[in-house]
Structure formats: C-alpha cells, structure tokens
Amino acid sequence: TWLADTITISGTPTVSGIFNYSIPLAGGCGGIATGTITVTPDNTVTAATSTPTLCINTVLTVITHTTTGATGIATTTTNYGLPTGVTASWLADTITISGTPSVSGTFAYTIPLTGGCGSVNAIGTITVNPDNTVSAPSATPTICINTALTAITHTTTGATGIGAATNLPTGITATWSANTI
C-alpha cells in the first residue's frame, strides 16, 4: 500500500522462494522501488529408514532420516529417548542413529530439528529384546539302557522355540512348549 509518501509491503507468504520485486511509482517523473524478499520453506524430515527389532548388546544397523532446511539437531541430556548405547548425530542434512543398545525395551525417539523454519521432529521406534535365558536342568539322571527316562525340564524366557537338539541318546527327544523344554 502507499500512504503519505510511504510504500508498505505486508502479508503472509504462502510459497517459498526468492522474490525480486519492483513497484513503479505513479505520477511525477518515474522511479521504481525494488527489493528482495526471501521466503524459506518449512523444515522437513523423512521417515526412519527402518524401525528395527534387535537383541540387547547387538550393533544396531544404522537408521537415517533425511532433512531439508534444518541446520542441525537439538542437543539434549535425555538422548532423545534412544536406548542407552545408541546416539544420534546430524551431518549434511542427514540424521544418523547408531550404536549398540545396552538395555532392553521399546524406545520411541523424538529428535527436534534446529535452524530453518518450523518445529519439526524426526521420530521412530527401536525395539530391543533381552537375551533369552534357560534354567539348569531339573535333573541329571543316570539310568539303565531300555529304561524310561523321567522327564528333564529347562525353563526359558524370551525363546519362541528350540532348534535341533544334539548329542541326545537314541530314543530320547527334546520338545518345547510354553517356555519349557
């Protein structure tokens, strides 16, 4: 707008880009008001390259998020909700999450972008399973050949079954049911 010898430029931009404007003056002997308005787009971040499930104390396959507009990630003392042993870093528009988790659980992380425009977070989930456990045998019998074996049991946690048993006597098998071998 023009009022009392002053041009006022105002409003809310709805597109990004570099705008070199010119406003010709009316009346008198010519003249053009010129300037530049640079409108920066909001920051963006892609989804995580993976949402892994891994075992405790196992090296995490690197997770990345690609960003635009940001100049880094916020520094925080809470490690963004990542498991202990896993860290996040930012370089050249990429967030890299790596390390070896030393605790188990489901970890929903949030990494705020810094710089640029807008409030944007990289989010994702990492699931870290605890190590399987197995108890000592319920018995270590000595029996005679062709005599029925009283069942021996081992209690497990975390397992979903068993592999092929080795070195059992012929006629003896191992089965797994509800965390018991």
Side-chain angles (χ1 to χ4, degrees):
T1 61
W2 180 85
L3 179 64
D5 293 331
T6 300
I7 299 171
T8 302
I9 300 170
S10 61
T12 303
T14 58
V15 294
S16 62
I18 298 173
F19 301 89
N20 296 309
Y21 65 85
S22 62
I23 305 169
L25 302 179
C29 295
I32 297 177
T34 61
T36 301
I37 299 172
T38 302
V39 181
T40 304
D42 285 338
N43 292 340
T44 65
V45 63
T46 61
T49 53
S50 66
T51 55
T53 297
L54 69 156
C55 293
I56 193 169
N57 299 317
T58 301
V59 175
L60 174 71
T61 299
V62 171
I63 301 169
T64 60
H65 293 268
T66 302
T67 68
T68 61
T71 58
I73 56 177
T75 56
T76 179
T77 58
T78 61
N79 200 28
Y80 313 108
L82 294 168
T84 302
V86 175
T87 60
S89 61
W90 185 89
L91 179 64
D93 294 328
T94 301
I95 298 170
T96 301
I97 299 169
S98 60
T100 303
S102 60
V103 293
S104 62
T106 299
F107 300 89
Y109 62 85
T110 301
I111 304 170
L113 302 183
T114 59
C117 296
S119 177
V120 178
N121 297 312
I123 59 172
T125 303
I126 300 170
T127 303
V128 182
N129 292 325
D131 286 336
N132 292 339
T133 63
V134 62
S135 69
S138 60
T140 55
T142 301
I143 60 172
C144 294
I145 192 169
N146 296 319
T147 303
L149 173 68
T150 301
I152 301 168
T153 59
H154 292 270
T155 302
T156 66
T157 60
T160 58
I162 58 173
T166 59
N167 209 27
L168 290 175
T170 301
I172 303 294
T173 60
T175 61
W176 184 87
S177 176
N179 288 324
T180 301
I181 301 173

